[in-house]
Amino acid sequence: QVQLVESGGGLVQPGGSARLSCVASGFTFSRYSIIWVRKAPGKDLERVSTITPGGTVGYSRAVKGRFTISRDNGQDAVYLQMHALKPEDTGVYYCAKCNSDLVTCEYFDGRGPGTQVTVSS
């Protein structure tokens, strides 16, 4: 059974940093791309960043230059380092398993329960 569990959210001041973690189980982690998505209040689910098994990465325009995605295939884990956080980054962040090993990540599933990130002074 595909399972992913996120952690590391919390309350952060504008301009601050936070690091999210995602631990996966139930599938061969090193064969699939992993995606971070987020859900802000009143908005649709938004793709944030994707990483392939080999480390190719992709970012949305909203976070490029501020967020860094990485993975540890030995630990079945993915991380999202976030810098220069803005109030509009507020939301619940989820990691999910893509249906391929491509950075395009056409479909994804197995979203975890999510972790709340609130950027506010």
Side-chain angles (χ1 to χ4, degrees):
Q1 181 182 357
V2 173
Q3 247 189 337
L4 297 102
V5 179
E6 307 88 348
S7 62
L11 176 63
V12 185
Q13 289 195 339
S17 299
R19 186 179 190 240
L20 306 184
S21 299
C22 166
V23 177
S25 62
F27 64 100
T28 305
F29 182 80
S30 60
R31 292 184 181 177
Y32 294 92
S33 296
I34 302 294
I35 188 170
W36 283 99
V37 297
R38 66 186 180 188
K39 179 73 171 67
K43 295 187 178 180
D44 292 335
L45 195 67
E46 177 188 9
R47 292 169 174 251
V48 174
S49 183
T50 308
I51 186 166
T52 69
T56 300
V57 300
Y59 299 97
S60 70
R61 286 186 183 180
V63 308
K64 194 169 186 178
R66 299 187 297 121
F67 290 13
T68 302
I69 191 172
S70 60
R71 68 188 288 164
D72 183 339
N73 288 334
Q75 298 292 322
D76 290 0
V78 175
Y79 308 98
L80 188 68
Q81 180 68 53
M82 307 184 293
H83 294 297
L85 283 162
K86 306 174 183 180
E88 51 263 45
D89 293 318
T90 294
V92 181
Y93 284 69
Y94 305 90
C95 60
K97 169 186 163 290
C98 300
N99 67 323
S100 72
D101 61 356
L102 303 176
V103 74
T104 47
C105 190
E106 188 175 4
Y107 300 107
F108 55 87
D109 62 7
R111 240 194 311 166
T115 185
Q116 175 73 44
V117 174
T118 302
V119 184
S120 173
S121 55

